[in-house]
Amino acid sequence: DKSFSCRRSLNDEQIKLLIETDGLIGINFCKSFLGDEGDDGFEAVYRHMSHILELGGENILAIGSDFDGADMPIGNIIDSRPLIVSSNHQNFVGELQAFMAELINAGKTNPVVIKISYDTDSVEELQIMAAADFGAMLLNGFGSGIWIDAPNIDLETRNRIALGIRQAARLRISRTEYISCPGCGRTLFDLQTTIRQIKSATSHLVGLKIGIMGCIVNGPGEMADADWGYVGEGNGKVSIYKGKEP
């Protein structure tokens, strides 16, 4: 109501109803939907977003850019201003990557936080889905940070998953990393118990990579980038590796 009146705009009562029902509202980037023709495009986007936030809509706000039909150059984004991006598109990973590619092509270096929402109450399911969604983008070089929006999962667990995803993408090392084989007929010791014991003794060594391998056949190759290794060499014998050297 306070931003700009357009036949496709939602009024304050409609926005409040979306807030109450955990809905989603995507800000369109077409200037004719945002303000007068003379209005600066992204300032208009910012104004509309700010109005929704003033109404308490921080959890329903998204970007519904319509880039294929928008008439606003992405170059109008103010440099260095952090951006939070999300999408309700069926292929949201593709749409988000397309947006961030447009930023790069326009020479923008804005920090981008990628927000994805999940309604699962399973920690294991969240780990798998978030790793697949965010991992694809991070490994492609997109995104400065990630925001896992999962109201059914406690914040501490969500943060732990987020840090794990960023560590797996080699963007931020926040804990000890372990590399292990699944074990096979050549493994002559209790691999699972050994892993638990080594983790218990070394989990405080942030940034260290430790390989725990069942045998000498494939172990040294599979843990080639580890700082230290624990490798079974025969019945009752293990070798400790520092780097690639036993």
Side-chain angles (χ1 to χ4, degrees):
D1 285 346
K2 296 179 180 179
S3 296
F4 177 72
S5 180
C6 169
R7 61 186 179 82
R8 290 187 55 172
S9 295
L10 300 181
N11 59 41
D12 285 1
E13 293 305 313
Q14 291 170 318
I15 295 172
K16 290 175 183 177
L17 184 59
L18 284 171
I19 294 171
E20 293 171 5
T21 57
D22 294 323
L24 191 70
I25 180 170
I27 302 298
N28 194 287
F29 284 10
C30 291
K31 290 175 67 175
S32 58
F33 298 154
L34 296 171
D36 296 331
E37 286 300 314
D39 202 356
D40 180 81
F42 277 94
E43 284 301 317
V45 169
Y46 179 73
R47 188 177 69 251
H48 280 263
M49 287 184 167
S50 296
H51 180 63
I52 294 171
L53 292 174
E54 288 173 2
L55 295 175
E58 63 272 7
N59 291 323
I60 70 162
L61 186 57
I63 292 175
S65 60
D66 251 359
F67 272 128
D68 56 341
D71 52 0
M72 175 177 24
I74 202 165
N76 284 7
I77 289 180
I78 298 175
D79 290 333
S80 78
R81 177 175 288 174
L83 304 175
I84 299 175
V85 299
S86 63
S87 168
N88 61 351
H89 192 278
Q90 183 177 2
N91 179 17
F92 56 85
V93 171
E95 184 174 60
L96 290 170
Q97 289 190 120
F99 171 74
M100 289 181 280
E102 288 286 341
L103 282 177
I104 293 171
N105 291 337
K108 298 298 180 180
T109 58
N110 301 65
V112 177
V113 177
I114 305 168
K115 178 183 178 183
I116 302 177
S117 300
Y118 304 92
D119 61 4
T120 181
D121 58 2
S122 165
V123 173
E124 182 175 307
E125 192 174 86
L126 179 63
Q127 287 177 307
I128 294 171
M129 293 191 299
D133 296 336
F134 288 109
M137 290 183 277
L138 294 176
L139 290 173
N140 283 335
F142 295 121
S144 309
I146 63 178
W147 178 351
I148 300 176
D149 178 35
N152 297 323
I153 306 294
D154 66 270
L155 180 60
E156 183 178 352
T157 299
R158 281 181 278 151
N159 286 342
R160 176 175 55 79
I161 293 172
L163 289 171
I165 292 170
R166 287 181 58 78
Q167 177 150 329
R170 296 293 188 265
L171 295 175
R172 177 178 178 180
I173 305 301
S174 57
R175 59 192 181 200
T176 317
E177 184 162 331
Y178 300 93
I179 308 162
S180 180
C181 68
C184 67
R186 295 189 296 266
T187 304
L188 301 178
F189 63 94
D190 187 337
L191 183 61
Q192 285 71 34
T193 299
T194 301
I195 292 172
R196 286 195 295 269
Q197 291 173 340
I198 291 175
K199 281 188 172 183
S200 176
T202 60
S203 60
H204 63 290
L205 302 174
V206 175
L208 203 65
K209 287 187 284 186
I210 300 174
I212 309 166
M213 298 294 164
C215 75
I216 195 65
V217 176
N218 297 319
E222 293 174 357
M223 63 168 205
D225 64 341
D227 300 300
W228 292 88
Y230 182 103
V231 182
E233 286 211 16
N235 193 13
K237 181 181 179 181
V238 298
S239 289
I240 305 296
Y241 280 66
K242 182 178 181 181
K244 297 181 180 180
E245 299 297 325

